[in-house]
Amino acid sequence: MASSELAQPGVPNFVDLLRSFPGQARLALGTRGVLWATFAGIVGVICCVVAFADIALSLHRSDVDPQRRQARDVLALDHASRSLMRSILANTAASEGAGATRVAGEPWRNFTESLRTLCRDYKVAPQTALASTCAAQQDFVDRLGRKIRSFDTHRGPIDAAALRELLQLRDEITELSLSTTRAADHMIGRLVDDYATALLVLTLSTTGFICAGLVLILLVGRTAMDYHAQWRLAADAAQQAGASRDTLSEVIEALPAGIVVYDAGERLIMCNSVARTLTPALRRPDAIGRTYSALAHDSAHALEAAGMGPQPVEEWIDRFRSKTTERTRQTEDGRWFDWSEKGTASGLTVGLRVDVTDIKRHEFALEKARAEQEHARASYQSLVDSMVDVAYTLDVETGQFTFVNAAVSDMFGMSPEKFVGTHFLELIAPDSVERVRRQTTREYDPSDPGTFARFSMVAAGGAVRHVEVRARRWRDEQGRVVSTGVIRDVEERVQLEQRLESEMIRLRSIVESGGALIVLVDRALNVTMVNSGFTALTGITAADAVGRSLQEILPCPLNPKRTKRSRFAVRRRDPSGRERLIAITATPATDADGAVSSIMLLGVDDTERREAEQALYNAERFATVGEMAGTMAHEISQPLQVINIACASALDEFALASERGGRPNMTTVQSKLERVAQQVEQASRIIGDLRAYVRGTSSDTPEPFDPNEAVRRAIDLTDHGVAEAGMTLQERLDAQLPAVVGDAGRLAQVLVNLINNARDAGGRTISIATGTVQENGRTFVRIAVEDSGPGISAEILPRLFTSFVTTKPSGKGTGLGLRICRRILEEIGGRISAANRAEGGARFEILLPSQ
């Protein structure tokens, strides 16, 4: 209802309806009408009972569904057995591999599923092959299935016993199918007879039911005519009652208070819109008809869900039933109402809810003012006086301070009593007056988050000091806009910030003027800062680099979890297109937990130094080539001698054939030529190894290779020189080495240098061994070169891989060999170390990451 909700008559329960039915029927039909209606009803019921009983008996006798399911399953088994036998016969007649299908596939699966269904759902006649098969169904399926699968696999004749068992079972299935068909015919005939009998009974019952219905229709028609006359009289009375009800509803809705009415059973029968606004439970569609107790519990749950705390539900119910006391209660929207109930002479309970919000607000305001007056004098002043910052209250309209704490004496040299009444603009430094005026003259907004500003004020003695002001505006009880905040002296912090900014500018100038590449990245390897040296070497500006991943702009082997300093070299083309070699030192910075927080990369253009260093090393390498000339002469003279002997033998064969007047022995000549080809290939390989060593590389791009191949190449180039020095070169190579990525020629160059250094050190033996080691979950190839010489002195060992450090006599070495060796290995991700052996001599170990 739009204006109010009135209670509707409740629906009577079933027991009351049965109890009142005889009286209602006698009132509507009269005594004679009741007798006729009773007689007609009895006749109709008897006809229906007879018809349904006959139909139920006929359905019970027919038992159609089980017969149909049995017939369907028997026919399915018959069809599956026929398909199985046809598949067996077809595969027996078909030649092997031609036109044959698998019997153990679809035919056998359909047969076994149909047999399992029939044996599970129906009783099979005993003393038959089908009954024995059903009794041992799983054994039959497993035994015959193996034979059929064997028949599919070997294409031999199926076992006679199995075929005989299948044929016997096939005959039983055929007989069962015929008997099922005969049973179905018999059932259909019986259904026809039952149908005729049921039709006759149903016809007679329908005739009796129709007659009874006609009697009842006549009685109801007469009653309807009488009821229509009574209805017209009742309609007039209802219209008058409705008008009175609408008038009452309008009056109740017009009242500013909430009205609720409960019946004698405490069930709600009416409420107006004001009451629904106050009580959440009354807004429910099913509120009318519910008891006060249920509505009170619903309202309490809603208020508790809104955060208003536990509600005294039982107290509400007791007050409602006593109908003597009033209670003030707050609603969800914050308003206050007086709750009261009064009983009527007819047993109704009328509830009245009067709005007392204004009265309650005045009470709260008085209590708050009284509490503020009592508490402010005792605690507020002592609290704010203990603050180091100046706390103030400012009347925004007049611009004058109305309250300050004791800290104003230290900052402005005035007592709080003298400071109150001062205009705030009088204390602002001239350079900050306009900015402060713009901020303080803005319109008041309740949602304003407040003011946080830094400016200059004139402090004690006329000194200008920087301050921070945090303030917030609000309206007091008189409606005036008041600003409350604190003033903090930040002069020392500002001076420190200015010094820090100056130091940062100076540090930036140092970073920019160093000429080196400097990059700062975070723990995720994202660039946070670069200098002009980075831009000069890469052509990428700081704006384009900051925020991007380091691997996008400067790919390098940097581990973000490594907490120690690392060094590596990268190659990159500068803006002019020239390839530059940049030597980078990565220095991580860690936090309090030891985790890497940032990494500083310092890069130096090492191109010219590396080129000069490489030139010196090439000169030393060319000198080594001169030393290996004897080795090359020895290595090449052996193939040439073999070629000479083979050619002489071939010529002798041709000469003998010419003297005999016949053809030479082509097998002998061919073997001599094959030997010549082998020796030419060996000489070419030796020359190629020497050429690769002289060139310094044998491949332009890194690629996987066998480390043992580089070791053998180095041995071939040095074994003659080692032998001439009276030393023995031993090798222990692991045949199962994994491949590494790099340049086999450059690795051979490193090994040649190490073997020659071992030869120059003296001693009797040099050994080279290969193997694998595990480090941090990765596999590394290990190559060790050892000698039995005097070892390396303790003074030189820590600096052995530094440029121009050598153990050789003056004029024999440049001190760049081991330095270049370490650089070559670092470029392919490896490393080299040196140590003295406990039994005497030096040991150099190379570790290369596997592919």
Side-chain angles (χ1 to χ4, degrees), residues 39-85:
F39 174 77
I42 293 173
V43 171
V45 170
I46 292 173
C47 292
C48 290
V49 170
V50 171
F52 287 132
D54 186 76
I55 293 172
L57 291 174
S58 64
L59 291 177
H60 178 70
R61 290 193 300 270
S62 63
D63 199 17
V64 177
D65 288 342
Q67 293 289 340
R68 291 177 60 187
R69 288 196 300 270
Q70 183 177 7
R72 183 176 62 250
D73 293 339
V74 169
L75 291 177
L77 178 61
D78 182 56
H79 176 72
S81 65
R82 290 175 183 273
S83 298
L84 178 63
M85 295 304 297

Side-chain angles (χ1 to χ4, degrees), residues 197-234:
T197 303
L199 185 61
L200 178 60
V201 173
L202 184 61
T203 301
L204 295 177
S205 300
T206 303
T207 302
F209 186 80
I210 291 174
C211 293
L214 290 175
V215 172
L216 291 175
I217 289 173
L218 291 175
L219 294 173
V220 170
R222 191 192 72 175
T223 304
M225 294 175 63
D226 295 340
Y227 175 78
H228 180 71
Q230 297 294 331
W231 174 81
R232 296 192 61 178
L233 296 176

